[in-house]
Amino acid sequence: MTKYNRFPISIFLLLALFISGCEKGKEDIIDDVPPEIHIDFGEAFPIQCSTLKKGEKFAFRARFSDNTELGTYSLDIHHNFDHHSHTTEFEECNLQPKKDPLKPFLFIRSYDIPKGQKSYEAVQEIEIPSDIDAGDYHFMIMVTDATGWSKMIGLSIKIE
Amino acid sequence: MKRLTALAFTILIISFTYAQDKRFTLSGTIVDTQGKALSNVSIRVLSGGHTVQSNEEGKFCIKDLRPKIYAIAFSYLSFSSITRKIEIKNSSVDLGNVVMTNAHYTIKEIDVLGETYPTTLTGFLNREIVDQQYIHKHLGGSLMQTLSRLPGISNIGIGSGQSKPLIRGLGFNRIVVVEKGIKHEGQQWGVDHGLEIDQFATGDIEVVKGAASFLYGSDAIGGVIDIKPEALPEKGTVSGSFDLIGKSNNALYGSSANIKGRIENWVYGARVTYQNYGDYRVPTDTVHVYDYPVRLDKQKARNTAGREFNIHANAGYVTDNFRSVFYMSRNSAQSGFFANAHGLEPRRVDTDLHDASSRDFQMPYQEVKHLKVINRSSLSVGIHHLEMEAGFQHNFRQEYSMYVNHGYMPPIYPDTMKTPSDLERQYDKRVYSLNVRDRFSVGQHTFVAGFNGEYQNNAIDGWSFLIPGFRQYTGGAFLYDRYRLNERVLLHGALRYDHSHIETVRYTDWFPSVVSEENRVTETEHLVRADNLRRSFNSLVWSVGSSYHVGDFSLNTNLGKSFRVPIAKELAANGVNYHYFSYEKGDPTLSPEQSYQLDIGIQYSRNRFSFGLHPFYNYFSNYIYLNPTPRHDHFYGSGNQVFEYTQSKVRRYGGELKVNYRLSESFRTELLAEYVKAKQLSGSKKGYTLPFSPPPSVLTNLSWQPRDTGILKDTYLSIDLHLFAAQNEIVPPEKKTPGYGLVNIQTGHSLFIGCQPVTINLQVQNLFDKKYMDHTSFYRLIEMPEMGRNIVLTLSLPLTIKNTDN
């Protein structure tokens, strides 16, 4: 046996020590849980197949929760005159015939949630102008947590 | 039309071989004393002037022999030459195995680990080398899928035919792909953009795992895939090959045919490849695009069909001291995107339209054309060996999708727009590259001095916006020194300096957005998405290493600093990523990434056993990372979550293990394992890993490759069991991926039909039709499982059209 035979073994041991050494130390706590959106309580609005009225205000109401801290939420209302429906709900509402948009209602807004909240009930008054196209719309609710995990749900609604 | 051209070309090649009068043939297989096939052995008919060479399987075939007694000489470098008298009477003669003896017993068996002694610039680094035979045996949907069997290599796939490389968990612009010496430049940053490379038109492929910035400049921070050109033909030969490919899962059919020849010092060659495939099948009926359930028709990933048509031509002049070869290639590919997961948000699509045929694709789809013209030249003068590569590339990518208004875009696409309403995005990039190297030896030193320069011009079009147009130039010079300390130890060092400059072009929206609404007065503005930006970067990088080699053992170490200049997307992105439904925002103040990496390679091989361990440790002082924020965007899209580029300290380590054991003459077993762990050490995602972190995996293989006897010729049967651990280390918006196991089978056989060798390769991928998620697949996020069982059949016909020494 030559003197070189010990060499690979010692390299191995060194490496094993090196790699295992990297594992030690304080592990950071990792948040890997996305937030949740709840619309399954009595006052929640809108819900799947709700109807909104032109020229009137309505109150959006939903609950958000997260295991650590909520971030912000965003609401988006856009037309579904082309039936591109991407609702998360299995029950589909009765859609009106397809049509071309003339002056569809478009609403994109995001809102802060007070810092440090694990659960939050969002209430937001939204006014629908009177000079917009009536018909099928989508109501999208998106929420993030402070880490950047997100959750979205899409609802089919009507504006009359 | 394209199909017709390909077919005509093929028929032309085949007809060459049959337009010959019938005489007798002499054939056989050259092997060494171990029974291993020897290729490129010269077989010379001493009395007739014919010379042929054995192919990769050691086979040769001399046609057109009249009945007579011949003296045949077999010669091969470092093997003892043989001369045999053979009489041809009234039938063809098959000599069976012709055994040649190695004249120098010091030649090491190099195939075991795929490692060669570090005589090339990358020889100190951890690398893998594969050849066309490997590609045929393990043929995947694209070159990167084929290579992903190698330990440490994975791919980010989208659909069945597009994918990009991932080396030890780093990908995109952190990997350099070099083809024929020139850095391949497409739109590497896009997750959904495949690599525009024809996997049939490659020679050997060298994969460097780990940083090699000192040689390749910016971007080679994670590794290099160096695709060498196909071997040049021998003097006085005209040969070709014809491959047929079929795949069961996505009903792919394809063909690749080539012809090459050499008249005195002039070489020429051409190749045509065509592939056409349908939607691929996944073992599930429903996928969840985020939270939206989407039903699949006949378990097919809707609208993922595509086609590919590539042509190549080359011509050049070759002597012992000088060579200059021009290569031209044009790749074009069209493929659909999974229709339900494209755009601002998951969508229901016209299923009647999409599901009518699984072979067509509708919108959304992509179309890419990549043109390359390369000159590769080398000249030896005295002690100097000069090499030069000059290249021009034109990458033209178009993404088509029906107009959907984003944010404040008008609901109906205005007919005054010059851009067509279905052209979502277009990237038109022209790249000019030049590499020059001088290699010379002085005493025990071997020096390489070199320069790399590149100019890119990227123009954009389309009704939507993600990254601005830009112009960019880079230039770098390096000096490399290898010093032979003694018989056992080689040392090396390299130093490199780079300068680069980027200018992005201002982009203003074509539509007004509402910027304020106060007291019922609405103010609108055409928003500036990206401003004019000029940035210059300078980098100094280095690399030192050693190679120690004694008996059956070798140890390579390398320590180096690498860098990567931020790309236009990281500096100036400002738009929606249509696949992740996220809003991506660049940061114009980013600085170049700096990385320090230690690589070690330990290899041992004795008799039937070989072992290789390749650990690495890597530290980034400022890794550029697309960080998901809690915020939402209002102006563009539909209130999508904002992701922004930031920099953080990152530590990575891991390695690969390869063990090979020859159980008997025909049976061998192999174990390949890979592990990589990444952790962000600073920033808002401190403690998290990096996106697309491949899970640890182990591949065990058992293969049977008997010595050629009777009907067994190049026969092999090989079974891979590939086990993947669960990946629970994730960053938003990723999902945890459970572990899984896959079984793949490869088998093949060669036969002679007359004098025509035919090689058949058959693969069954995912034998048990396992439903699994690949953590590094692009469609992972939408819960789309990977391909179900897939049977891949290739038939290869090497064609010898003319084979005489002049």
Side-chain angles (χ1 to χ4, degrees):
Chain A
M1 287 282 121
T2 63
K3 60 179 172 172
Y4 299 109
N5 277 12
R6 274 187 210 156
F7 195 54
I9 298 161
S10 52
I11 287 285
F12 261 155
L13 290 175
L14 266 172
L15 268 167
L17 210 70
F18 180 57
I19 288 173
S20 63
C22 297
E23 276 303 323
K24 283 171 196 157
K26 201 175 68 190
E27 281 296 314
D28 300 79
I29 296 153
I30 305 291
D31 168 28
D32 55 11
V33 183
E36 285 177 51
I37 302 171
H38 310 274
I39 49 164
D40 53 354
F41 60 102
E43 303 85 52
F45 189 82
I47 55 169
Q48 178 72 347
C49 307
S50 290
T51 301
L52 309 178
K53 292 265 190 294
K54 280 205 277 189
E56 287 185 14
K57 287 180 177 176
F58 72 94
F60 160 76
R61 191 183 289 262
R63 285 181 191 147
F64 305 124
S65 66
D66 185 56
N67 63 326
T68 53
E69 183 185 348
L70 288 163
T72 65
Y73 73 96
S74 153
L75 301 178
D76 166 43
I77 306 171
H78 60 261
H79 76 84
N80 181 30
F81 302 162
D82 58 354
H83 294 188
H84 69 261
S85 175
H86 41 68
T87 167
T88 45
E89 312 299 300
F90 281 97
E91 174 208 358
E92 195 51 88
C93 311
N94 289 326
L95 293 177
Q96 295 171 1
K98 286 188 185 186
K99 62 175 180 181
D100 282 335
L102 295 170
K103 194 177 180 201
F105 181 47
L106 181 68
F107 181 88
I108 306 165
R109 202 61 64 84
S110 75
Y111 305 92
D112 290 338
I113 294 171
K115 291 243 177 291
Q117 300 293 311
K118 284 189 180 182
S119 69
Y120 180 71
E121 185 163 322
V123 184
Q124 200 61 51
E125 200 169 73
I126 296 167
E127 186 181 348
I128 301 180
S130 48
D131 58 346
I132 53 117
D133 297 349
D136 296 307
Y137 280 83
H138 279 148
F139 194 100
M140 316 284 291
I141 310 166
M142 283 162 274
V143 66
T144 56
D145 69 7
T147 311
W149 293 102
S150 66
K151 171 82 178 174
M152 62 170 141
I153 63 171
L155 304 168
S156 290
I157 57 159
K158 276 187 204 314
I159 297 182
E160 287 178 347
Chain B
M1 186 58 214
K2 282 172 182 172
R3 252 184 273 185
L4 272 178
T5 319
L7 191 70
F9 188 82
T10 317
I11 290 170
L12 192 73
I13 289 178
I14 293 176
S15 56
F16 260 111
T17 44
Y18 291 101
Q20 293 169 21
D21 58 332
K22 237 184 153 193
R23 285 178 199 160
F24 300 112
T25 63
L26 175 70
S27 57
T29 308
I30 320 277
V31 292
D32 65 9
T33 46
Q34 311 278 312
K36 200 172 145 312
L38 295 175
S39 61
N40 292 320
V41 175
S42 290
I43 300 107
R44 177 183 278 262
V45 182
L46 293 174
S47 38
H50 284 62
T51 299
V52 298
Q53 294 212 313
S54 59
N55 66 9
E56 290 97 42
E57 292 101 40
K59 292 178 184 305
F60 70 94
C61 189
I62 306 170
K63 285 182 271 194
D64 222 14
L65 296 172
R66 292 164 193 280
K68 195 176 150 188
I69 295 173
Y70 291 94
I72 312 282
F74 301 85
S75 54
Y76 187 45
L77 186 76
S78 81
F79 279 73
S80 305
S81 295
I82 308 172
T83 309
R84 277 169 74 169
K85 280 212 162 59
I86 286 135
E87 183 178 7
I88 296 200
K89 287 179 182 164
N90 47 14
S91 65
S92 294
V93 174
D94 185 355
L95 294 174
N97 280 357
V98 177
V99 181
M100 293 187 73
T101 323
N102 196 332
H104 309 284
Y105 63 92
T106 48
I107 297 268
K108 281 192 71 72
E109 203 179 319
I110 58 162
D111 69 320
V112 189
L113 280 171
E115 293 291 336
T116 43
Y117 198 67
T119 50
T120 59
L121 291 182
T122 52
F124 290 86
L125 304 170
N126 175 16
R127 58 186 188 152
E128 306 261 357
I129 298 170
V130 300
D131 57 11
Q132 258 296 325
Q133 220 178 334
Y134 181 93
I135 292 175
H136 274 99
K137 277 190 185 178
H138 302 282
L139 195 73
S142 65
L143 179 62
M144 292 309 133
Q145 287 169 23
T146 308
L147 294 181
S148 64
R149 185 181 179 273
L150 301 171
I153 316 293
S154 24
N155 71 92
I156 301 180
I158 180 164
S160 60
Q162 323 292 321
S163 62
K164 55 201 326 120
L166 203 58
I167 299 180
R168 290 170 164 172
L170 296 184
F172 304 97
N173 284 70
R174 292 186 184 88
I175 302 292
V176 167
V177 175
V178 174
E179 195 185 21
K180 300 175 183 104
I182 293 285
K183 184 174 166 190
H184 180 87
E185 292 279 5
Q187 302 287 348
Q188 296 99 308
W189 51 267
V191 196
D192 50 325
H193 307 162
L195 197 60
E196 302 88 352
I197 302 266
D198 181 352
Q199 62 176 329
F200 295 96
T202 60
D204 286 354
I205 299 172
E206 180 181 301
V207 181
V208 177
K209 294 182 268 186
S213 277
F214 73 89
L215 195 54
Y216 295 95
S218 176
D219 292 13
I221 205 161
V224 180
I225 293 176
D226 185 358
I227 301 159
K228 322 260 189 214
E230 295 180 78
L232 290 175
E234 292 300 319
K235 256 187 190 175
T237 61
V238 182
S239 64
S241 69
F242 178 60
D243 294 314
L244 277 172
I245 315 112
K247 293 183 190 176
S248 68
N249 184 293
N250 56 355
L252 176 143
Y253 62 85
S255 168
S256 186
N258 87 321
I259 183 165
K260 60 180 179 181
R262 180 162 168 183
I263 304 162
E264 290 292 336
N265 293 322
W266 296 92
V267 292
Y268 62 88
R271 179 179 284 276
V272 177
T273 302
Y274 180 79
Q275 295 201 87
N276 186 314
Y277 52 93
D279 297 341
Y280 69 100
R281 194 187 61 79
V282 290
T284 188
D285 295 307
T286 308
V287 295
H288 287 85
V289 183
Y290 288 78
D291 296 305
Y292 307 92
V294 174
R295 291 197 70 79
L296 301 180
D297 179 52
K298 300 185 192 95
Q299 302 195 327
K300 296 230 164 120
R302 186 168 289 125
N303 202 47
T304 56
R307 50 185 178 252
E308 187 185 327
F309 179 66
N310 311 319
I311 50 172
H312 311 259
N314 66 70
Y317 186 79
V318 179
T319 67
D320 289 343
N321 295 324
F322 172 75
R323 63 169 56 186
S324 183
V325 182
F326 281 90
Y327 295 93
M328 191 286 291
S329 66
R330 186 180 177 279
N331 289 35
S332 65
Q334 292 131 307
S335 61
F337 291 122
F338 178 53
N340 298 89
H342 183 89
L344 286 175
E345 54 218 352
R347 293 175 71 84
R348 174 198 278 175
V349 295
D350 186 343
T351 46
D352 291 341
L353 172 76
H354 282 292
D355 299 342
S357 163
S358 66
R359 291 213 77 86
D360 66 346
F361 53 88
Q362 318 284 342
M363 282 188 269
Y365 73 92
Q366 56 178 336
E367 185 168 345
V368 191
K369 296 186 185 83
H370 196 104
L371 174 77
K372 248 183 215 184
V373 182
I374 292 172
N375 175 272
R376 262 196 127 183
S377 297
S378 63
L379 175 68
S380 297
V381 188
I383 59 162
H384 294 274
H385 182 69
L386 297 157
E387 292 173 324
M388 189 275 294
E389 288 111 18
F392 167 72
Q393 295 176 71
H394 181 203
N395 185 284
F396 187 64
R397 157 176 288 276
Q398 291 175 306
E399 296 176 15
Y400 289 93
S401 180
M402 282 203 300
Y403 175 72
V404 177
N405 64 315
H406 296 13
Y408 293 99
M409 283 181 196
I412 304 266
Y413 193 72
D415 49 16
T416 51
M417 290 282 291
K418 275 192 279 178
T419 305
S421 69
D422 56 2
L423 183 62
E424 189 177 72
R425 275 166 193 173
Q426 175 179 301
Y427 302 100
D428 188 352
K429 187 188 253 191
R430 285 175 167 80
V431 185
Y432 304 84
S433 326
L434 178 70
N435 304 326
V436 182
R437 285 179 302 277
D438 179 16
R439 184 192 300 244
F440 55 97
S441 296
V442 181
Q444 293 301 313
H445 289 271
T446 301
F447 293 99
V448 182
F451 166 82
N452 310 98
E454 188 192 78
Y455 174 77
Q456 286 191 32
N457 190 343
N458 190 76
I460 59 161
D461 198 2
W463 52 261
S464 96
F465 176 78
L466 180 59
I467 64 164
F470 64 88
R471 286 181 295 276
Q472 176 180 325
Y473 68 78
T474 56
F478 69 91
L479 180 69
Y480 169 93
D481 176 17
R482 185 175 68 229
Y483 175 65
R484 186 188 244 338
L485 189 67
N486 57 42
E487 277 299 299
R488 294 185 178 125
V489 180
L490 284 173
L491 301 174
H492 90 145
L495 199 63
R496 181 187 176 100
Y497 181 79
D498 279 88
H499 175 75
S500 72
H501 181 78
I502 184 167
E503 287 182 26
T504 61
V505 182
R506 183 184 168 99
Y507 180 89
T508 309
D509 278 342
W510 54 270
F511 58 91
S513 296
V514 175
V515 288
S516 80
E517 252 176 322
E518 275 179 30
N519 306 324
R520 296 188 178 263
V521 179
T522 308
E523 262 186 68
T524 63
E525 203 176 282
H526 285 76
L527 295 176
V528 175
R529 294 279 161 207
D531 213 338
N532 286 326
L533 173 73
R534 286 156 169 259
R535 291 287 307 272
S536 292
F537 305 99
N538 296 303
S539 297
L540 184 69
V541 297
W542 49 266
S543 174
V544 289
S546 70
S547 170
Y548 172 82
H549 194 97
V550 59
D552 305 318
F553 173 77
S554 73
L555 172 73
N556 290 345
T557 52
N558 193 75
L559 178 69
K561 183 188 174 191
S562 283
F563 81 107
R564 186 180 70 86
V565 164
I567 58 169
K569 188 190 186 212
E570 292 160 338
L571 294 168
N574 198 356
V576 179
N577 176 328
Y578 289 125
H579 301 281
Y580 284 152
F581 317 117
S582 60
Y583 186 86
E584 299 186 355
K585 226 172 149 7
D587 177 357
T589 65
L590 294 174
S591 48
E593 276 181 355
Q594 316 267 356
S595 153
Y596 299 87
Q597 183 156 332
L598 173 69
D599 272 285
I600 295 175
I602 302 160
Q603 283 146 58
Y604 177 79
S605 81
R606 174 165 261 179
N607 301 332
R608 301 166 150 211
F609 175 75
S610 78
F611 169 89
L613 181 71
H614 299 271
F616 75 95
Y617 183 85
N618 172 221
Y619 174 77
F620 276 90
S621 58
N622 54 343
Y623 185 94
I624 299 174
Y625 168 67
L626 187 59
N627 181 39
T629 72
R631 301 194 307 280
H632 291 91
D633 163 69
H634 309 213
F635 287 120
Y636 210 72
S638 56
N640 301 68
Q641 189 186 352
V642 176
F643 284 53
E644 61 190 12
Y645 282 100
T646 52
Q647 295 191 299
S648 62
K649 293 185 170 67
V650 168
R651 180 180 69 204
R652 297 166 59 247
Y653 58 86
E656 299 84 38
L657 173 73
K658 300 203 271 182
V659 182
N660 241 284
Y661 185 71
R662 230 168 345 153
L663 299 163
S664 70
E665 199 181 310
S666 339
F667 283 94
R668 60 168 63 195
T669 173
E670 185 180 31
L671 180 111
L672 308 170
E674 62 183 32
Y675 176 79
V676 57
K677 187 174 168 82
K679 191 173 175 180
Q680 302 191 42
L681 303 174
S682 67
S684 70
K685 294 293 177 289
K686 189 179 170 191
Y688 285 80
T689 184
L690 292 174
F692 291 111
S693 284
S697 79
V698 178
L699 186 150
T700 44
N701 168 275
L702 178 69
S703 63
W704 173 68
Q705 191 160 6
R707 187 179 277 220
D708 288 1
T709 46
I711 57 156
L712 298 177
K713 279 187 194 289
D714 305 323
T715 309
Y716 68 91
L717 175 66
S718 149
I719 299 173
D720 282 351
L721 171 64
H722 207 162
L723 298 172
F724 294 83
Q727 183 54 282
N728 292 321
E729 299 199 348
I730 50 169
V731 280
E734 292 185 331
K735 290 177 177 173
K736 292 180 181 177
T737 306
Y740 56 93
L742 291 178
V743 175
N744 299 326
I745 292 181
Q746 303 98 32
T747 180
H749 182 62
S750 281
L751 47 123
F752 268 87
I753 299 173
C755 221
Q756 176 57 55
V758 179
T759 303
I760 303 167
N761 287 294
L762 180 77
Q763 262 190 92
V764 186
Q765 297 167 343
N766 192 4
L767 179 70
F768 297 112
D769 206 23
K770 171 90 180 161
K771 180 182 171 182
Y772 69 100
M773 302 285 175
D774 177 353
H775 192 72
T776 62
S777 161
F778 178 72
Y779 284 143
R780 164 68 191 103
L781 277 184
I782 59 167
E783 305 270 312
M784 173 95 86
E786 294 302 301
M787 248 194 202
R789 186 184 300 116
N790 189 18
I791 299 167
V792 181
L793 178 70
T794 59
L795 289 182
S796 308
L797 286 78
L799 307 172
T800 306
I801 296 154
K802 187 177 153 220
N803 202 340
T804 47
D805 226 345
N806 291 303

